[in-house]
Amino acid sequence: MKLHGLQKMTLLDFPGHVACTVFLGGCDFRCPFCHNFELIDGTAEPVMDDAELFKFLESRKGLIDGVAITGGEPCLHRDLPELIKNIRKIGYPVKLDTNGYHPEMLKAILDEGLVEYVAMDIKNSEEKYDFTCGVDGLDMNKIKESISLLINSGIEYEFRTTVIKEFHEKEDFVKICGMIKGAKRYFLQRFTDRDSVPYGNLTAPSFDEMREFADISRQFIPNTELRGVE
């Protein structure tokens, strides 16, 4: 498998672990606020293959204690389970990031017990999902199936929403929390602009707005927290 990026150490991507982050290319969404759009549109060249990754992981034993796999959308790759199995053979637990649009792959990974933690993006309320993802005609049943799989999985997981002023309002969080009812934890991430973001006219909500959205969400998901808010 070709890998399109490697962050050699992070304290943020895998809760409770000093990890590295592996970036896989390709995604079926076209979110206009994506920070990794170069992985989506094909402009990012592969930086290594899996054999090189395994060699790196062997050399980092004792320095890191986990591997986070992100993208792009990792679940697009049919050989994702094999990649995870080989990482685990070296001795590392694995965290997976996903957009939730491939419940069949997510289920296979969960059924085999291949990951210790999953973070799933919840883009918006159901009626605004297409608009927020930049794709028409999304099958929301796939998103809902992935939500159910995680809630009933027995592993550590989180749902998270990147909050953008132009995309989200108070009522959306009531509806989102209805979709993820029973969730263990929910994070609201304040949008930050970068050069790689494909649409340049997006803005972040104010800190007060973020706190208001979190207060609304806590009425339904008590363990709601903020990220990117000082």
Side-chain angles (χ1 to χ4, degrees), residues 39-111:
L39 301 178
I40 313 307
D41 66 5
T43 57
E45 295 291 333
V47 298
M48 63 174 60
D49 61 21
D50 49 4
E52 293 171 286
L53 171 67
F54 303 146
K55 183 177 179 180
F56 165 80
L57 292 177
E58 290 282 4
S59 74
R60 302 294 280 190
K61 285 183 175 180
L63 297 175
I64 61 174
D65 61 7
V67 177
I69 300 178
T70 189
E73 173 47 49
C75 288
L76 278 174
H77 297 269
R78 293 182 179 179
D79 47 355
L80 177 63
E82 190 66 24
L83 174 67
I84 298 174
K85 288 175 185 177
N86 286 322
I87 291 171
R88 291 174 64 89
K89 285 178 183 177
I90 300 171
Y92 292 99
V94 174
K95 178 233 184 185
L96 175 67
D97 290 347
T98 183
N99 63 22
Y101 205 60
H102 301 274
E104 68 292 337
M105 176 62 79
L106 180 59
K107 184 177 187 301
I109 287 170
L110 293 173
D111 285 349

Side-chain angles (χ1 to χ4, degrees), residues 11-22:
L11 300 176
L12 301 176
D13 289 350
F14 192 164
H17 293 269
V18 178
C20 71
T21 302
V22 176

Side-chain angles (χ1 to χ4, degrees), residues 44 50 59 66 77 86-87 89 91 98 112 128-129 132 137 139 156 165 175 178 186 206 226:
D50 49 4
S59 74
H77 297 269
N86 286 322
I87 291 171
K89 285 178 183 177
T98 183
E112 289 195 63
K128 295 167 74 172
Y129 231 87
T132 308
D139 182 356
E156 292 299 308
K165 194 173 186 66
K175 295 175 180 179
Y186 180 40
S206 69
L226 291 172

Side-chain angles (χ1 to χ4, degrees), residues 156-226:
E156 292 299 308
Y157 68 88
E158 67 181 58
F159 298 113
R160 61 192 186 187
T161 299
T162 299
V163 187
I164 306 105
K165 194 173 186 66
E166 290 77 12
F167 286 82
H168 298 97
E169 52 193 355
K170 289 185 285 186
E171 185 61 27
D172 292 316
F173 295 97
V174 176
K175 295 175 180 179
I176 288 171
C177 289
M179 281 199 297
I180 62 171
K181 183 179 179 180
K184 187 178 294 186
R185 62 181 63 86
Y186 180 40
F187 288 95
L188 303 185
Q189 304 176 162
R190 187 171 183 256
F191 169 73
T192 55
D193 201 6
R194 294 181 184 173
D195 291 341
S196 59
V197 172
Y199 186 71
N201 294 318
L202 299 177
T203 55
S206 69
F207 293 138
D208 286 342
E209 287 173 317
M210 289 294 297
R211 294 185 185 101
E212 183 178 15
F213 296 153
D215 287 342
I216 291 169
S217 300
R218 286 192 192 101
Q219 297 177 48
F220 308 96
I221 311 295
N223 193 9
T224 296
E225 299 180 38
L226 291 172

